[in-house]
Structures are given as structure tokens and as C-alpha cells.
Amino acid sequence: MSGLKKDLGLWQGMGLLATSLLGTGIFVVPATAASLAGGASLWAWLLLIALVLPIAFTFARLGRRYPHAGGAPHLIGLAFGNGAERFSAFLFLAVLPVGLPAALMIAAGFWHALFDLGEWTLWGIQLLTLLGVFLLGLRGARSSGNLQLLIALAILGLTLLIWFKGDISWHDAARPLPTTDEWPAMATALAVMFWCFVGLEAFAHMGEEFKRPERDYPIALLGGVLLAGLIYWIHSLVVLKYGLYGDEATNATAIPALLSLLFGPTAKWLVAVLGYLSCFASINIYIQGFARLIWSMAREGKLPPSLAVLTARGAPLRALGLVLLICLLCITLIIWLRLPLDELIRYANGNFVLVYLLCMAAGWRLLGGVGKELAGISVLLCVLVLVALASQVLYAVVLSLGYCCFSLWRRRRRRSASDEGVCAIK
């Protein structure tokens, strides 16, 4: 089989993206945003959705025109050459050792809230999670899409239950426009809330597996963004009404506390199951995205050809196995060395925005008309987010400098070897 199987439909694609964007953020970020900006956080969510839409439109136009398993790095390579593609792929893959192990630990933590579990028991849960991703990945993208669509519908159902059981009305959402004094707090909240919409770059790797990418991919992408944004906004409204925000501990337990208040103490089981499944969905799409990037580069001769093997169902078997092996080694090393993951994850966030920035610049170069204008606006938005992140971009900067130094060293070595070859011939 020379290519990935095209079996993703519109609804599976929307489920994949919505669950990827919701991830663990749905349980923490609404309360965090409320603690930073108060009632103005509702306006911040609407503003954030308006700011993300140009980026989503640019990804949609690029994905419709250039559907490819290489995702964002492939698009960047089309615009700026192979060197830029390798650099962006390096930035994307550099998140693998820290970002995914952190998500696995958060997923296992939902069971830790129910049972008193030791570190290595939590490691076992993480291992079983990786095994689940592997088995799901072998079945192809359609199976992942169906499962994550069900998870998205379950989260949407929970959101509607909270709305009705919590006696929420549209009058609760009638907040005055933010004042000039509230804008700095909103800006701080926006820098945190932006990460609820990190996941568009991972979804870009799935474009080649849509049955009708020119129609379904952009609709699934935009529909997933709007669905996730609506769910975040409703959860923020409920958190504000019940005052379940404040310090870090209160923010982390806001949704479990709300469900216990509305449905009784047994609701903690609902939180654990949905929280774990939400994390699983986010982990799944990232691992599948990493695997497809590696498979795509191997197919094009940029990585060993042995990584380009596909199963009968069109799954990148060896690339997926490599990603899972790296995850397993990283989670083992992290538990053994007790590494401070929270700091590493915050620094890794800069990688995503830098990849977004490069991809939007690629859109500005590859697209025309309205698409070019939207890409230009998106470039400015990504630059503003990078500025807002400040020191958190350090990880991406250090990696970029290290990559540039390595590339220069390798180029000089090749040039030196070439010169020696010429001298030997003479």
C-alpha cells in the first residue's frame, strides 16, 4: 500500500479535532481564566475564538489545497524549502519527550483521584494508555475518529446537563463590555486560554486520510473549533455563576466540585471517566499525528525507508511503534528521575506557536486572495502570542539555536569532505 487509507468522514474529523482541543483544558482552563479576568473572561473567550478563526481558516485552505500526512512541516517545506521543513518537523517532534508524557501523567491522575495509587502503578496506567493508542492506531483513522466523536458527544452531553441542572440562562451571560482597566487582565487570560486551541497543527496530519479533503477537511476543522469554543464558553459561564475559581487548587477542582454540587458525590466517577477519555483523545491524535509525520518523511526518503511500512488497514505501523517506544522511555525516565514536568511543558508551548507562525507564513506565500490576507493576519496574531509568552519561548529558542548550530556543523563537514574528495582526484 503506497498511501494512507482515505476513510475519514466529516463527523469523524470534527470529533477528532474537538476532543483534541478540549483535552484536559476543559477541566482547568475555564476556572483559571475566571480567576485571571473575572466576568471579563466570557468576553475573552469570544475574542479568542475570533482571533483563532483566521488561523483555522488558513489551516483549512492549506489542508484543502495540499492534503498531506506531513502536516504543517510539509506545508512549510512547500513554501520555504526542505531546510525549513526539516526545522519545523524537528520543532514539532521535540515536544514528544515532554508534552506527551505530561498528558499521560494527567490522564493517569484522574484515576489517582479515585484510588490511592503509587508512582509505578500510575506508570502502569500510562503504559496501558499507550497500548490502547497502539491498538486503536492499528485499526486506522476511521476508528480513532468514531471513538473521539463519541467522546466529544459525551462531553457535549455533560455540558448540556450542567446547563440545565445548574439553572443557567442567557441572562447569566449578559455581562457588560470590559472596561479599560480590565484589558490587561484579559490579555493575561488570553495567553493561558490560547492553549485550548493548540491541536490544529496535529489535525493537519490527518488531511490525507479524508475521503473528500477538499470539502470535509475545512468544514471539520472549523466545526471542531467552534464546537470546542462553545463548550469552553459554557463551562466558563457556569464556573463564574457558582464562584468556583480563585487559587490554583480551587481552579484544578472546579468542574469536579461543580458536578458534586449538582449531581452528588458519586459524580467524581463521571469526572474520572470523562476526564481520562478526554485526555486519551488528545493523546491519541497527537501520537497519530507524530506517527504520520515520521511515515511521510520516510516515504519521501528524508528518514529511513523502513519507517514507511503500512498495515493492511493503512496504519503507519513502524512509525507508530517508534513514537510509542519514545513515549514509554520518557515516562519511565521521568518517574525515575522525578523531573519537573510542569516547567518543561510551559517552555514546550513555544514550539507550537513557532510552528503555527511558520505555517501561517507558508499560507501567506502559498495562498492567494482572501486566503493570503487571512494568513497575513494570522502571522501577526502568532507574533503577538509569542510576545505574550515571554520567557516560555526559551525552550523553542534554545532548540532552534541548537538545530542551527548542528546544521552549520554538518554543512561544513560535508563541504570539507567534498573538498578533500576534489583534492584526492587532482
Side-chain angles (χ1 to χ4, degrees):
M1 184 177 293
S2 59
L4 296 168
K5 190 175 180 181
K6 296 180 180 292
D7 59 359
L8 273 182
L10 171 61
W11 294 107
Q12 289 92 356
M14 191 178 296
L16 278 169
L17 182 60
T19 47
S20 172
L21 297 181
L22 292 170
T24 58
I26 192 62
F27 295 94
V28 177
V29 176
T32 303
S35 66
L36 291 172
S41 62
L42 289 179
W43 288 103
W45 282 111
L46 297 177
L47 178 60
L48 178 62
I49 294 169
L51 294 176
V52 168
L53 280 176
I55 298 175
F57 271 112
T58 303
F59 269 116
R61 285 175 173 267
L62 287 170
R64 181 175 60 185
R65 183 173 295 185
Y66 308 102
H68 197 277
H74 172 73
L75 297 170
I76 293 166
L78 286 178
F80 304 112
N82 290 334
E85 179 180 2
R86 287 193 294 269
F87 172 63
S88 57
F90 167 75
L91 283 177
F92 189 56
L93 292 172
V95 180
L96 179 59
V98 290
L100 282 176
L104 285 163
M105 291 183 69
I106 294 170
F110 281 101
W111 299 114
H112 189 45
L114 295 177
F115 308 103
D116 187 16
L117 304 175
E119 286 184 342
W120 292 106
T121 305
L122 291 172
W123 177 87
I125 294 174
Q126 294 175 51
L127 180 61
L128 290 174
T129 303
L130 290 177
L131 178 61
V133 171
F134 178 70
L135 294 175
L136 188 61
L138 291 182
R139 294 184 60 83
R142 185 178 180 85
S143 295
S144 290
N146 286 333
L147 175 63
Q148 298 199 197
L149 176 59
L150 291 175
I151 296 172
L153 291 175
I155 295 174
L156 179 59
L158 175 64
T159 303
L160 293 175
L161 276 176
I162 290 173
W163 178 278
F164 291 111
K165 186 71 174 179
D167 194 27
I168 306 298
S169 69
W170 293 110
H171 297 291
D172 296 311
R175 305 274 173 169
L177 289 171
T179 64
T180 306
D181 294 336
E182 290 177 310
W183 278 101
M186 282 182 61
T188 304
L190 281 169
V192 175
M193 293 156 58
F194 180 84
W195 300 115
C196 296
F197 292 93
V198 168
L200 301 178
E201 79 296 331
F203 187 68
H205 295 278
M206 314 300 290
E208 192 174 330
E209 295 171 81
F210 275 83
K211 296 174 185 176
R212 290 173 288 185
E214 68 286 345
R215 189 201 74 168
D216 291 346
Y217 177 85
I219 297 175
L221 192 150
L222 295 172
V225 167
L226 292 173
L227 176 60
L230 175 63
I231 292 174
Y232 275 119
W233 185 84
I234 291 175
H235 278 245
S236 292
L237 178 59
V238 176
V239 163
L240 282 166
K241 177 172 180 175
Y242 284 89
L244 296 171
Y245 61 93
D247 57 25
E248 187 173 344
T250 303
N251 294 338
T253 58
I255 300 302
L258 174 65
L259 292 179
S260 295
L261 181 66
L262 297 179
F263 304 105
T266 55
K268 64 181 182 180
W269 286 91
L270 180 62
V271 174
V273 172
L274 272 183
Y276 175 79
L277 289 175
S278 183
C279 289
F280 180 90
S282 185
I283 292 166
N284 180 58
I285 193 171
Y286 266 101
I287 288 179
Q288 304 301 344
F290 282 128
R292 280 152 178 77
L293 173 58
I294 292 173
W295 172 84
S296 172
M297 296 181 74
R299 178 181 60 173
E300 296 171 358
K302 298 165 186 174
L303 287 174
S306 59
L307 293 172
V309 174
L310 291 174
T311 66
R313 288 179 176 266
L317 175 63
R318 294 184 180 175
L320 178 60
L322 176 62
V323 173
L324 291 171
L325 178 61
I326 293 172
C327 282
L328 177 59
L329 291 174
C330 289
I331 61 175
T332 305
L333 192 63
I334 285 165
I335 290 178
W336 184 42
L337 297 178
R338 300 177 182 272
L339 297 178
L341 270 181
D342 54 340
E343 291 293 332
L344 293 175
I345 296 165
R346 283 197 290 269
Y347 289 141
N349 285 340
N351 283 39
F352 288 118
V353 182
L354 199 51
V355 171
Y356 272 41
L357 175 60
L358 292 172
C359 199
M360 295 304 101
W364 184 80
R365 188 159 186 176
L366 295 172
L367 299 173
V370 176
K372 192 180 188 73
E373 295 173 2
L374 288 172
I377 294 171
S378 300
V379 168
L380 295 176
L381 294 174
C382 290
V383 170
L384 290 175
V385 174
L386 279 175
V387 172
L389 286 173
S391 62
Q392 294 182 13
V393 188
L394 182 62
Y395 181 67
V397 171
V398 171
L399 284 175
S400 301
L401 291 174
Y403 181 87
C404 291
C405 291
F406 175 76
S407 297
L408 289 172
W409 172 79
R410 187 174 61 175
R411 189 177 301 173
R412 287 179 181 177
R413 188 176 179 181
R414 286 180 177 176
R415 187 179 300 169
S416 177
S418 177
D419 292 342
E420 289 177 0
V422 172
C423 291
I425 293 173
K426 291 181 178 180

